Amino acid sequence: APRGLYALLKAVGGPMALKHIGMPEAGGERVVELALTNPYYNPAPLEAGRLRVLVHNAIHGHPPMMD
């Protein structure tokens, strides 16, 4: 689903990066902090390092990565 949404946004010329819709790069650490202090069900454990990479990639418009 994340890759499909990314491809759709790219195809229609939508914003590809959170920074293009107002997310400051400096806000990435706050996002990670909030995710870790307010956990919700997730099939994989939340890990600070992985969340930082995810948020960094989203801020800069890099494609979703799956492992």
Side-chain angles (χ1 to χ4, degrees):
R3 287 186 183 178
L5 181 57
Y6 184 88
L8 175 63
L9 284 171
K10 190 172 185 176
V12 299
M16 300 305 296
L18 291 177
K19 67 182 180 182
H20 295 151
I21 58 171
M23 174 72 171
E25 186 169 356
E29 191 58 35
R30 179 72 174 138
V31 170
V32 172
E33 177 186 314
L34 288 171
L36 292 173
T37 58
N38 299 297
Y40 54 88
Y41 172 76
N42 196 51
L46 296 178
E47 299 171 5
R50 291 182 67 158
L51 285 172
R52 283 186 187 95
V53 170
L54 175 78
V55 172
H56 173 84
N57 288 345
I59 288 172
H60 294 283
H62 301 304
M65 301 191 59
M66 308 288 195
D67 57 308

